[in-house]
Amino acid sequence: MRLILTALLLAAALPASAQIYKYTDANGKTVFTNQPPSNVDAKPVELPPTNTVGPQAPAAAPATSGTENQASGAYQILALSNLPDDESMRQNNGTFVVNVVVQPALAPDHQLQLLLDGQPYGAPTSSTSIGLQEIDRGEHTLAVQVLQGSREIQASSPVSFTLQRISTNSPQRPRVQPRTGG
């Protein structure tokens, strides 16, 4: 099998080393060919040596693996998105979703923990889309931590926002009329 493969490779390399000839045809056009015609004065073309690049050695692996880099707090980006630009959002039911931007990608043994007003909110997750439900109106802060088990690896900067909801005492709030027997 090796002998056949070697013969095929050598046969493929032969045309690459073939001589090139140049001549002018009857119409005055320059023609290049690898087989000179017998009735024309074809001149051999001397080509410069081809540029070649040898195989490159693989890049040396870093001293620590990616997980160890991330364990030491090497997430280059850890931030929350999907929060309003003007720091105020209206969600009458207090339910909304925030996205976590994390680069490089979250390591398999790491999880995200959302912090609402400095306290953990919900269970740690590997999802970068985290839903919040029935949050009270008013000013709040959100941040996210990267956890490995119960140990905090890294935390984002807190983001402040104001949640606007219709008050339960608001005259604009739709009222449910009690049913009367009938």
Side-chain angles (χ1 to χ4, degrees):
M1 180 70 178
R2 281 188 181 164
L3 183 60
I4 295 172
L5 183 60
T6 305
L8 287 174
L9 289 174
L10 286 174
L14 286 177
S17 64
Q19 180 65 49
I20 305 287
Y21 298 93
K22 173 183 171 185
Y23 68 94
T24 304
D25 69 5
N27 296 326
K29 297 192 181 201
T30 302
V31 177
F32 293 91
T33 182
N34 64 342
Q35 295 180 355
S38 58
N39 57 352
V40 177
D41 184 27
K43 306 273 188 217
V45 176
E46 296 299 322
L47 297 175
T50 58
N51 292 333
T52 58
V53 176
Q56 300 294 315
T64 59
S65 70
T67 303
E68 291 169 3
N69 275 345
Q70 292 167 346
S72 66
Y75 287 106
Q76 296 167 345
I77 300 175
L78 180 63
L80 293 167
S81 66
N82 257 21
L83 290 171
D85 292 337
D86 60 0
E87 299 177 2
S88 180
M89 75 168 54
R90 176 176 292 280
Q91 293 294 334
N92 287 332
N93 62 0
T95 300
F96 56 97
V97 175
V98 294
N99 291 324
V100 179
V101 180
V102 58
Q103 287 182 0
L106 195 63
D109 61 334
H110 290 179
Q111 290 191 309
L112 300 172
Q113 174 66 63
L114 192 64
L115 299 176
L116 176 64
D117 299 327
Q119 299 300 313
Y121 180 88
T125 180
S126 58
S127 174
T128 57
S129 182
I130 303 173
L132 291 93
Q133 297 179 345
E134 298 180 14
I135 305 301
D136 292 333
R137 66 189 178 114
E139 290 189 27
H140 298 282
T141 59
L142 277 178
V144 66
Q145 294 176 327
V146 177
L147 301 177
Q148 184 175 31
S150 61
R151 186 171 65 100
E152 178 186 332
I153 302 297
Q154 188 173 347
S156 72
S157 299
V159 177
S160 298
F161 68 99
T162 301
L163 182 64
Q164 298 177 347
R165 292 181 70 176
I166 293 178
S167 168
T168 56
N169 299 326
S170 172
Q172 296 176 347
R173 182 170 185 228
R175 303 213 182 259
V176 177
Q177 299 295 326
R179 294 185 136 194
T180 56

